[in-house]
Every structure is written in structure tokens, then in C-alpha cells.
């Protein structure tokens, strides 16, 4: 005979609820709706790390919350600060002892945080360290939010920009990603403008189509890294599922539905995808699409032998694209000395 689950077995992940859901939950505890507003503020504006800190909540209500909910709070296990720039990489411990990494970057326009969307990753891109040990699990919306909240509390400054470009494939954790986007851009929460949020995907086409239907004002960055199906297959296993032309078609649809220009990410791997012919082929592939190409000299990782394109090849590639009418920029890598740059985040353990 099956055993009935008690409320203690399935605690509500209260920080992952939007305002409507929170109100409904608070009502189910026999509390008034205004309590939901207060609790929401403590979690998403004040960033408290325990129910006890919610000083305007009655003790009775606090006890009910402790009994029925879990309050996700990430533990800061380590911070590495770059000597080269104001980049810092944070190692956070989750409640099940998994570790994830996030990066803070300081720009003239404000603080940007790069968050992880999964513990590990199952996409298998050949040049990326995050995928070496596979996927452990999806992060909850609260765990995504918390990376930003903890960093904001640590630096004592507002975080104004978010990039979902850390470990994991955000569109492989679609529902949680969507809830996260709703919460982080909520005017009663941290209120980060959707235009200041970028989600980077390796190209999970059906979920790109679903995302387009949401008509959000976020930027979608698509990791292309190759100009032909054949070359992409060698670098990114996801290409087996979705052909490069199907991917480009989905990008076109994304722009048509949202009016948001697509960013293509293209990591330059010396001798692999950085020749003039590659640039010409890339330009032809994305011609007529409202887009922008972000060139990233590949960051070497220990386990693979890809090398960076030389600076001349990078400049030539950019010039060739521009000559074909495609706007391109070279990404300024930050925090490379702390392995905080693209593709260098990984599962870590503190021994
Ligand atoms: N899964 C998502 C987001 C995480 S990776 C995606 O694939 O887009 C963020 C970006 O870093 C992607 O464009 C990824 O392809 C790129 N990247 C991964 N490893 C890299 C490396 N070693 N050097 C440079 N860029 C890398």
C-alpha cells in the first residue's frame, strides 16, 4: 500500500513562486493576501536568508512557513577576484551540496551577472568545460535568482544586467527559465529590464520557437560557431538534432515575432573555423537576418587541444564579415585569469 505524503515531505519552494502563486499559497495557509506581498518583498527585494528575518510577519505565520516551505538560499563557498579587471567568480553551494558557478562583471553601464541554468550540462560541445561531466540536474527558478541576489548583496551595488551564459543550456530547462525571467524582471522584485537580459542557447529549435511566442524583450544569443552543417556537427552534438538551416529559420522567426535582433556567438578556433572562406560562408548563411555576430577567441580548456585564432585571423574574420554587410564585434574576455571566461565554468568541488 502506498504511503500518503505528508506536507513535510513536499515542501513548497516558495522563492520560485510568482506573486499570483504566492498569494494562492498564502491563502491556503489561512493567511491574508497582504502577507503574500510582504513575504514577496522580503524574498525578492530585501533578499533575506531566513524566515526569522521577516520581522513584520507574525510568529504564527512564520511557523506555518517553516513547516510547509523551503527558502532557497545559496551558500557562498568561494570567490575568486580577477587581478586583470573587476570580474569575480563565485562558487555557490546548493542545498543538496551540488556546486555551481556565477560570474560578476563590472562595466561602465553597470554590474552584469552571468548565471548558470543547470548543474552540469548535457549538450557536449567539444570546446566547453561545463559539459565534461554531463548534466546533474536543472536549477530551480529560485536557484537562478539567488545567484544574482547573493552577488548583489556581496558587492553592495545594484545588478542591472543578467546573462544566462554560465553552465548549462537554458532552453534545456525551459519552464524554470521562463519563471526565472518573469521573476527577475518583475517590477515588484529586482525589476531588471528585459532588454538588459540575454539568454544564450546552443540552438534547441523547438524551444526557441516556444520562446518566440512569449514575445519577451530579452536578447536571444545563439551559439553558432560554424558556418556549415558539416563543420557544426564536429563541434556541437546538438547539430545532429537540428540542422543549421532549421536553426537559422528559427532565428528568423524569433526576430519576426519579437522584433529583437539575434546575436550569434561564434568562437574562433585556430585553424578550425577561422579562415576567410568560413567568414564568407557565415555571411551567406545569415544574410538578410537582423543580427549581429559576436566573435569570441576560444578560451582554451585543459582537456581539449583547441587553440585560439591568432589576433590577425580574428581581425581578418571580422573585416570579412563587415565587408559582406554583417555587423560584428570581438568579445572582450574578462576574468580569464580566474577561469571565469566563456566555456571555462565547470563543476567544482571543494576538497
Ligand atoms: N548553453 C548555452 C549557454 C552557455 S555557454 C549556449 O551554448 O549558448 C556560453 C557561450 O560560451 C556559448 O556561446 C558557448 O558556445 C561559448 N563557449 C563555450 N566554451 C567556450 C570556450 N572554451 N571558449 C569560448 N567560448 C566558449
Amino acid at each position: 500500500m502506498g504511503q500518503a505524503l505528508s506536507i513535510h515531505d513536499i515542501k513548497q519552494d516558495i522563492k520560485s513562486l510568482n506573486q499570483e502563486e504566492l498569494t494562492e499559497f498564502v491563502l491556503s495557509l489561512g493567511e491574508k493576501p497582504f502577507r503574500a506581498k510582504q513575504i514577496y518583498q522580503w524574498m525578492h527585494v530585501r533578499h533575506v536568508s531566513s524566515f526569522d528575518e521577516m520581522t513584520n510577519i507574525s510568529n504564527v505565520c512564520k511557523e506555518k512557513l517553516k513547516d510547509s516551505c523551503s527558502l532557497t538560499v545559496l551558500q557562498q563557498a568561494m570567490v575568486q577576484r580577477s587581478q586583470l579587471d573587476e570580474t569575480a567568480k563565485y562558487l555557490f553551494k546548493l542545498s543538496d551540496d551540488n556546486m555551481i558557478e556565477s560570474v560578476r562583471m563590472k562595466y561602465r553601464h553597470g554590474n552584469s551577472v552571468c548565471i548558470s541554468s543547470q548543474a552540469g550540462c548535457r549538450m557536449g560541445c567539444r570546446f566547453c568545460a561545463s559539459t565534461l561531466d554531463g548534466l546533474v540536474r536543472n536549477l530551480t527558478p529560485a536557484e537562478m535568482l539567488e545567484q544574482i541576489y547573493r552577488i548583489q548583496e556581496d558587492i553592495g551595488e545594484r545588478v542591472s544586467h543578467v546573462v544566462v551564459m554560465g553552465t548549462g543550456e537554458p532552453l534545456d530547462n525551459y519552464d524554470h527559465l521562463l519563471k526565472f525571467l518573469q521573476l527577475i524582471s518583475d517590477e515588484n522584485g529586482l525589476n531588471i529590464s528585459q532588454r538588459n537580459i540575454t539568454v544564450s542557447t546552443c540552438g534547441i529549435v523547438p524551444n526557441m520557437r516556444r520562446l518566440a511566442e512569449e514575445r519577451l524583450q530579452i536578447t536571444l544569443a545563439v551559439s553558432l560557431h560554424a558556418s556549415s552543417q558539416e563543420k557544426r556537427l564536429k563541434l556541437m552534438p546538438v547539430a545532429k538534432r537540428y540542422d543549421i538551416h532549421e536553426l537559422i529559420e528559427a532565428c528568423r522567426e524569433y526576430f519576426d515575432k519579437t522584433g529583437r535582433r539575434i546575436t550569434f556567438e561564434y568562437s574562433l578556433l585556430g585553424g578550425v573555423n577561422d579562415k576567410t572562406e568560413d567568414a564568407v560562408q557565415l555571411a551567406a548563411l545569415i544574410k538578410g537576418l537582423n543580427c549581429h555576430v559576436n566573435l569570441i577567441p576560444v578560451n582554451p580548456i585543459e582537456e581539449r587541444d583547441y587553440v585560439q585564432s591568432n589576433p590577425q585571423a580574428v581581425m581578418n574574420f571580422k573585416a570579412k564579415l563587415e565587408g559582406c554587410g554583417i555587423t560584428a564585434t570581438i568579445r572582450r574576455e574578462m576574468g580569464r585569469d580566474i577561469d571565469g571566461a566563456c566555456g571555462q565554468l565547470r563543476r567544482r568541488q571543494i576538497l
Side-chain angles (χ1 to χ4, degrees), residues 127-128 165-166 168-170 200-202 223 225 265 267 296 298-299 342-343:
F127 41 81
C128 182
M165 276 193 194
E169 168 48 47
S200 179
T201 180
C202 64
S223 300
H225 306 318
E265 292 164 285
S267 294
I296 319 166
V298 74
N299 296 301
C342 286

Side-chain angles (χ1 to χ4, degrees), residues 104-330:
R104 174 250 180 153
M105 292 156 288
K106 179 143 183 150
Y107 294 100
R108 248 167 310 161
H109 61 250
N111 286 297
S112 180
V113 170
C114 173
I115 66 159
S116 294
S117 55
Q118 296 178 314
C121 180
R122 58 175 177 162
M123 294 298 131
C125 299
R126 300 288 302 155
F127 41 81
C128 182
S130 305
T131 198
L132 290 168
D133 297 324
L135 175 69
V136 183
R137 69 169 174 85
N138 284 331
L139 298 188
T140 62
E143 287 167 336
M144 291 191 244
L145 290 168
E146 265 289 301
Q147 298 172 56
I148 299 157
Y149 296 174
R150 286 309 128 211
I151 290 177
Q152 178 161 309
E153 294 304 313
D154 184 61
I155 63 180
E157 289 176 26
R158 183 177 153 74
V159 171
S160 53
H161 291 65
V162 172
V163 292
V164 189
M165 276 193 194
T167 298
E169 168 48 47
L171 296 189
D172 190 34
N173 184 13
Y174 185 83
D175 294 338
H176 289 175
L177 173 80
L178 226 59
K179 181 62 82 63
F180 160 77
L181 293 173
Q182 182 188 29
L183 289 165
I184 197 70
S185 59
D186 180 13
E187 57 180 11
N188 295 315
L190 208 51
N191 194 12
I192 295 183
S193 156
Q194 286 187 2
R195 287 172 174 262
N196 292 353
I197 302 174
T198 300
V199 171
S200 179
T201 180
C202 64
I204 302 196
V205 168
N207 287 347
M208 288 169 65
R209 297 217 163 97
R210 278 167 82 191
L211 189 63
E213 295 298 336
E214 297 290 331
R215 293 178 160 76
L216 302 176
Q217 286 301 293
I218 60 166
T219 298
L220 186 65
V222 175
S223 300
L224 198 55
H225 306 318
S227 53
S228 71
Q229 170 67 1
E230 192 196 347
K231 284 203 169 171
R232 198 162 187 264
L233 267 174
K234 292 200 179 119
L235 299 173
M236 303 176 73
V238 70
K240 280 185 238 156
R241 296 282 301 279
Y242 311 108
D243 182 88
I244 200 166
H245 296 101
E246 200 186 336
L247 174 62
I248 300 300
E249 198 38 50
C251 292
R252 218 178 284 284
E253 262 181 61
Y254 190 89
F255 175 76
D256 288 345
K257 296 226 159 108
T258 63
R260 300 290 294 160
R261 186 176 77 159
I262 298 281
T263 296
F264 285 112
E265 292 164 285
Y266 193 101
S267 294
L268 288 157
L269 310 161
V272 175
N273 64 359
D274 64 343
K275 293 187 217 41
T276 306
E277 305 93 86
D278 296 308
V280 173
Q281 198 174 32
L282 175 61
L285 180 73
I286 60 180
K287 204 175 165 56
L289 184 66
N290 200 326
C291 68
H292 163 262
V293 176
N294 207 198
L295 299 168
I296 319 166
V298 74
N299 296 301
I301 60 166
E302 217 174 278
E303 295 82 351
R304 301 274 187 261
D305 49 11
Y306 290 116
V307 293
Q308 279 197 348
S309 301
N310 64 54
Q312 192 56 49
V314 176
M315 293 311 292
N316 288 348
F317 199 95
K318 178 172 185 276
K320 195 75 211 171
L321 280 180
E322 285 171 340
C324 299
I326 308 280
T327 46
T329 46
I330 299 170

